[in-house]
Amino acid sequence: MSRKVFITDGSEISFYAAVFCAWRHESHITSAQNFQPLITDEIIFVNAAEKNAAVKTAEEAERVRSALFRIDPPAPKEICRILSSGNLQKEQIAYLYLREILGQRAPAREKTYLSCVRNAADVLHKIGKEIEHLKGFLRFRETAHGVYYAACAPDNNVVPSLAPHFIRRLACPFIIHDLSRGYALCYNGEKTICIEAKEAEIPLSASEEEFAALWASYFKNVAIRARKNQKQQDHLMPRRYRKFMPET
């Protein structure tokens, strides 16, 4: 039996429009570049930026999103988070979860006995965990221009979700650079914007260089060598965050 495969452009609007079209078919939704279709698949591209289809796509997307919000107000935020995941099946996971909510016209997050809900909950848990980790492990360094800069390489596209936390905490201009996805979120004290930035050369202030040296010295000397516990250290300070932490 053939199925329809909807390839989105990666945007939320494109995803919701694909859901609108996929609803009555045996369908699969994806944007993953390494997706391997079956020989019997019918491929349909849903591009929200396509000039001739933009208005129709936006209207279809809004109909689905509005229906979802009426049934379960927190669900659109959950869908948005799932779509920010690094999971290659994120669109299909979001689609099956959304379809369960709309099909039953009731919230589904408590139905963890269903695989579609369980998969969505697992993705949401991993994203939430990574956001909490980065709130603690992200290191801002003062640049020569007085703007604070932090680099990271998260598994999921969580940098936009981190912005409100650090706007409240820092109350000054800053940049969070996602090296994995090649963009930077910039806050100028009033609003945030995202710019493409695969790499960046950041000149640090003189005081920042001194603080980095002090942190490295502290980290080295505070440890008790005779009681080194590498397993516990890896648990409390995961290795994948350390390359962005001056104290390590």
Side-chain angles (χ1 to χ4, degrees):
M1 183 178 179
S2 65
R3 62 174 182 171
K4 292 180 180 290
V5 178
F6 293 86
I7 309 293
T8 76
D9 61 12
S11 69
E12 197 172 333
I13 291 176
S14 179
F15 167 76
Y16 278 118
V19 171
F20 181 88
C21 300
W23 187 257
R24 300 185 183 278
H25 307 281
E26 181 64 27
S27 304
H28 188 91
I29 300 178
T30 184
S31 68
Q33 294 181 354
N34 63 345
F35 174 71
Q36 296 295 325
L38 302 175
I39 194 170
T40 56
D41 285 345
E42 179 184 349
I43 308 296
I44 302 170
F45 291 92
V46 184
N47 189 344
E50 188 176 338
K51 188 173 182 180
N52 294 331
V55 174
K56 182 180 179 182
T57 299
E59 291 175 350
E60 293 171 346
E62 183 56 31
R63 287 178 63 180
V64 176
R65 192 184 184 285
S66 297
L68 181 64
F69 183 81
R70 286 195 300 271
I71 297 170
D72 185 5
K77 184 177 180 179
E78 291 178 331
I79 295 297
C80 181
R81 278 212 168 176
I82 293 172
L83 294 177
S84 72
S85 166
N87 191 311
L88 295 179
Q89 299 293 322
K90 59 187 177 183
E91 288 86 8
Q92 185 67 2
I93 292 171
Y95 168 54
L96 295 177
Y97 177 54
L98 186 155
R99 191 170 69 172
E100 176 64 27
I101 297 171
L102 295 183
Q104 300 301 317
R105 300 193 65 77
R109 65 183 56 83
E110 303 299 327
K111 301 178 182 178
T112 51
Y113 54 86
L114 297 175
S115 61
C116 62
V117 177
R118 194 164 56 250
N119 291 338
D122 182 55
V123 170
L124 289 169
H125 173 72
K126 289 178 179 178
I127 292 175
K129 186 176 180 180
E130 183 165 56
I131 290 172
E132 290 306 310
H133 275 171
L134 285 171
K135 285 179 180 179
F137 292 129
L138 200 65
R139 294 292 187 265
F140 285 89
R141 310 183 74 180
E142 186 183 33
T143 69
H145 302 289
V147 176
Y148 285 84
Y149 171 85
C152 59
D155 292 335
N156 306 290
N157 187 17
V158 296
V159 167
S161 298
L162 291 169
H165 171 78
F166 288 109
I167 287 173
R168 291 192 300 270
R169 184 175 179 181
L170 299 178
C172 65
F174 64 79
I175 298 170
I176 303 178
H177 192 177
D178 187 336
L179 296 174
S180 295
R181 292 164 186 81
Y183 78 90
L185 183 144
C186 306
Y187 175 65
N188 64 3
E190 297 180 358
K191 62 181 181 179
T192 60
I193 60 169
C194 289
I195 61 172
E196 184 178 341
K198 294 183 178 180
E199 298 179 354
E201 292 185 9
I202 306 298
L204 300 178
S205 66
S207 60
E208 183 61 40
E209 297 282 10
E210 294 175 2
F211 278 122
L214 284 172
W215 269 114
S217 177
Y218 171 80
F219 187 80
K220 179 180 179 180
N221 291 293
V222 75
I224 303 173
R225 294 180 181 278
R227 302 186 65 179
K228 186 176 181 179
N229 186 335
Q230 193 63 53
K231 185 177 180 180
Q232 181 72 352
Q233 190 180 66
D234 290 345
H235 175 70
L236 296 175
M237 186 184 287
R239 287 178 179 269
R240 65 196 185 94
Y241 298 119
R242 295 185 195 179
K243 61 183 176 181
F244 303 114
M245 302 173 73
E247 63 264 40
T248 58

